[in-house]
C-alpha cells in the first residue's frame, strides 16, 4: 500500500491510499475555495448529560448533485472536484462542512444551565472507490482491504489529536437514510467526548459479571445459532436477539480488540468476503438497494479500553417492500423501540440470501 498526503486549496488534508507504489498523486486543487468554517459549538444538555454540536455552517453543504457534478468523483481536465487526481483507489480528506474541527472561533455563555465549549475534533470523508455508480457490496476483497487500511490508519492518527476521545467510522447509504451524496463513501468523526451509546454499552460491560460482556454475547449467539447470518474462522455476523431495527446485523471478530488499528492482517482479510456477502444479502431481500447505516463501534481513546470490543453494527430502516421503519413517537420521543420484524425471521431471510 502507498500512502500519500497532500492538501486541498483551502488547506484541508487529503490522503490517498493506493495499491500501486507508482501511483502519481502530484495533481493540485485548481479551485478557489472559501475560507474554512469555524468549529462547531458544543452545548451541554443537563437533563440527559449529553453534548450537542451546533454547526450552522453545515446547512450550506452540497445536496444530491447530478452525477456530472459529484464532488467525490475524480477531477478531470474540465472539472475540479474534492479529489484533484484523475483517478484514485481510496481517498480520505477533511470534510468541507465538519461537525468538529480544530479551527476555533469564540464561544460565549448561552445560559439555560448549558455549558459551552468548542467542538474540537475532526471529520473526514472516506471515498471507497472512484466509481460513482458502484457500492461497498460490489468492491473486491482487495479494495475492501484497502478501505480497512485507511480506517485503521485514520483511527490511529485521529486518536492522537489532543482533545479527541473517540473515533467513529461509518457509512450512510441511500436517500431514505438521508445521504447528501450518492457516491460510495463513508465518514469518520473524531469526537471530543465519548458518545452516549458507547457510554451505555461500556456501563453495561462494567456491571457484567463473569467475562467480557461483548465476548459473552458473541459466544451465546454462536452457540444458539438461530440468528447467525454468516461466519468464518475469524468473524461472525448475527442478528441480535433484541434487535431494534427491522434488519439489523452485528459483525464481531472472534478476538477481542479495541479498535480497527488493532486487527491483524488475517482478520482484515477475512472481514471483506463476509461483510460484502451480508451487504448483498440485504440488497437481495426485496430486490432493491437497501438503505442502511454501517457503524464501527471502537473503544474510547483514553478510557475503558479493556472493556470495549470492536464490532460493527449494520442496520436498515426498510421493513418491507415500499415500507420504511420511521422513528415515530415512542422511538424519537422516549427512546423506546418497537421492532416490526422478529429477529429470528430477519436472520432466516438474510441467511437465505448470503452467497458465501
Amino acid at each position: 500500500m502507498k500512502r500519500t498526503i497532500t492538501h486541498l486549496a483551502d488547506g484541508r488534508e487529503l490522503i490517498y491510499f493506493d495499491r500501486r507504489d507508482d501511483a502519481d498523486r502530484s495533481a493540485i486543487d485548481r479551485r478557489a475555495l472559501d475560507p474554512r468554517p469555524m468549529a462547531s459549538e458544543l452545548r451541554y444538555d443537563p437533563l440527559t448529560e449529553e453534548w450537542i454540536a451546533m454547526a450552522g455552517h453545515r446547512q450550506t453543504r452540497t445536496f444530491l448533485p447530478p452525477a456530472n457534478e459529484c464532488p467525490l468523483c475524480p477531477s478531470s481536465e474540465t472539472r475540479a472536484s474534492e479529489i484533484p487526481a484523475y483517478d484514485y483507489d481510496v481517498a480520505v480528506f477533511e470534510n468541507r462542512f465538519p461537525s468538529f474541527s480544530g479551527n476555533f472561533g469564540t464561544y460565549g455563555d448561552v445560559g439555560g444551565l448549558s455549558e459551552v465549549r468548542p467542538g474540537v475534533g475532526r471529520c473526514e470523508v472516506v471515498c471507497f472507490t472512484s466509481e460513482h455508480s458502484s457500492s461497498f457490496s460490489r468492491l473486491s476483497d482487495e479494495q475492501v482491504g484497502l478501505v480497512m487500511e485507511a480506517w485503521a490508519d485514520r483511527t490511529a492518527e485521529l486518536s492522537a489529536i489532543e482533545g479527541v476521545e473517540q473515533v467513529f467510522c461509518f457509512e450512510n447509504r441511500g436517500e431514505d437514510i438521508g445521504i447528501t451524496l450518492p457516491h460510495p463513501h463513508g465518514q469518520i468523526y473524531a469526537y471530543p467526548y465519548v458518545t452516549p451509546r458507547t457510554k451505555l454499552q461500556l456501563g453495561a460491560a462494567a456491571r457484567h459479571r463473569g467475562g467480557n460482556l461483548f465476548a459473552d454475547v458473541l459466544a451465546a449467539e454462536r452457540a444458539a445459532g438461530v440468528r447467525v447470518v454468516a461466519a468464518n474462522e475469524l468473524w461472525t455476523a448475527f442478528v441480535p436477539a433484541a434487535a431494534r431495527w427491522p434488519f439489523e446485523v452485528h459483525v464481531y471478530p472472534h478476538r477481542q480488540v479495541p479498535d480497527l488499528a488493532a486487527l491483524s492482517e488475517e482478520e482484515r482479510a477475512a472481514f471483506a468476503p463476509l461483510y460484502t456477502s451480508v451487504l448483498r444479502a440485504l440488497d437481495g431481500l426485496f430486490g432493491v438497494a437497501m438503505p442502511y447505516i454501517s457503524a464501527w463501534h471502537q473503544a474510547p481513546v483514553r478510557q475503558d479500553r479493556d472493556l470495549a470490543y470492536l464490532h460493527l453494527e449494520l442496520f436498515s430502516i426498510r421493513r418491507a417492500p415500499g415500507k420504511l421503519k420511521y422513528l415515530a413517537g415512542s422511538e424519537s420521543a422516549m427512546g423506546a423501540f418497537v421492532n416490526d420484524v422478529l429477529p429470528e425471521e430477519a436472520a432466516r431471510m438474510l441467511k437465505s440470501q448470503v452467497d458465501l
Side-chain angles (χ1 to χ4, degrees):
M1 182 196 75
K2 180 181 181 181
R3 178 179 181 270
T4 307
I5 301 176
T6 184
H7 291 84
L8 298 174
D10 57 3
R12 287 177 293 133
E13 196 171 53
L14 165 66
I15 308 106
Y16 293 102
F17 294 85
D18 289 291
R19 288 177 296 205
R20 302 186 342 266
D21 288 338
D22 62 347
D24 180 5
R25 299 306 177 208
S26 60
I28 62 171
D29 187 358
R30 309 189 302 267
R31 300 170 298 171
L33 298 177
D34 293 332
R36 299 165 69 177
M38 295 295 104
S40 63
E41 178 179 280
L42 290 184
R43 298 188 182 186
Y44 186 71
D45 183 347
L47 298 179
T48 63
E49 299 183 321
E50 296 174 0
W51 289 97
I52 312 298
M54 305 296 167
H57 59 272
R58 285 176 54 77
Q59 283 278 45
T60 60
R61 65 189 187 275
T62 308
F63 183 77
L64 297 177
N68 63 350
E69 296 178 13
C70 175
L72 306 186
C73 285
S75 292
S76 67
E77 292 184 1
T78 58
R79 191 181 72 89
S81 73
E82 286 280 64
I83 302 168
Y86 288 4
D87 63 54
Y88 66 86
D89 288 341
V90 173
V92 180
F93 59 87
E94 289 184 76
N95 198 318
R96 190 175 176 184
F97 307 96
S99 299
F100 308 99
S101 77
N103 193 23
F104 301 150
T106 57
Y107 307 87
D109 182 17
V110 297
L113 296 183
S114 180
E115 179 186 346
V116 178
R117 60 186 175 100
V120 61
R122 181 150 150 159
C123 293
E124 297 183 340
V125 176
V126 183
C127 298
F128 302 141
T129 173
S130 62
E131 297 181 26
H132 180 83
S133 59
S134 187
S135 66
F136 203 110
S137 65
R138 290 156 57 187
L139 299 182
S140 67
D141 291 349
E142 293 76 18
Q143 187 71 5
V144 174
L146 191 61
V147 173
M148 293 196 79
E149 290 285 348
W151 281 335
D153 176 276
R154 304 316 303 149
T155 293
E157 290 286 328
L158 298 179
S159 294
I161 295 176
E162 184 177 357
V164 167
E165 297 295 334
Q166 187 175 3
V167 177
F168 175 44
C169 304
F170 64 101
E171 180 193 2
N172 299 327
R173 191 244 196 155
E175 288 189 34
D176 291 327
I177 286 293
I179 62 160
T180 57
L181 296 172
H183 190 109
H185 75 287
Q187 299 181 63
I188 305 177
Y189 275 23
Y191 292 105
Y193 52 79
V194 178
T195 59
R197 184 166 175 82
T198 298
K199 282 185 176 181
L200 284 173
Q201 290 187 347
L202 294 179
R207 294 186 294 273
H208 179 66
R209 295 184 179 181
N212 178 274
L213 174 59
F214 300 97
D216 288 350
V217 166
L218 172 62
E221 290 293 349
R222 284 173 57 82
V226 66
R227 287 178 296 275
V228 172
V229 173
N232 58 31
E233 292 183 356
L234 299 177
W235 296 83
T236 293
F238 62 90
V239 177
R244 288 167 167 76
W245 303 94
F247 295 95
E248 178 177 347
V249 180
H250 294 189
V251 186
Y252 276 56
H254 294 171
R255 181 174 67 100
Q256 181 187 357
V257 296
D259 55 29
L260 287 154
L263 289 172
S264 68
E265 289 186 14
E266 293 77 14
E267 287 165 331
R268 295 178 191 181
F271 172 79
L274 182 139
Y275 180 56
T276 54
S277 71
V278 171
L279 292 180
R280 289 191 295 271
L282 275 175
D283 285 347
L285 283 177
F286 307 124
V288 297
M290 286 283 269
Y292 66 73
I293 292 174
S294 179
W296 280 107
H297 289 250
Q298 305 198 86
V301 173
R302 272 172 278 275
Q303 65 185 72
D304 295 327
R305 291 181 66 81
D306 58 325
L307 291 174
Y309 195 123
L310 172 73
H311 65 284
L312 182 143
E313 297 187 7
L314 168 72
F315 59 89
S316 177
I317 60 173
R318 186 171 297 285
R319 58 186 175 86
K323 298 179 180 178
L324 300 179
K325 167 66 177 179
Y326 292 102
L327 297 190
S330 186
E331 291 88 357
S332 293
M334 301 306 292
F337 275 72
V338 179
N339 193 349
D340 305 299
V341 180
L342 193 68
E344 291 74 20
E345 175 63 11
R348 185 197 65 77
M349 294 172 67
L350 286 166
K351 191 171 183 178
S352 71
Q353 297 290 329
V354 168
D355 57 6
L356 272 176

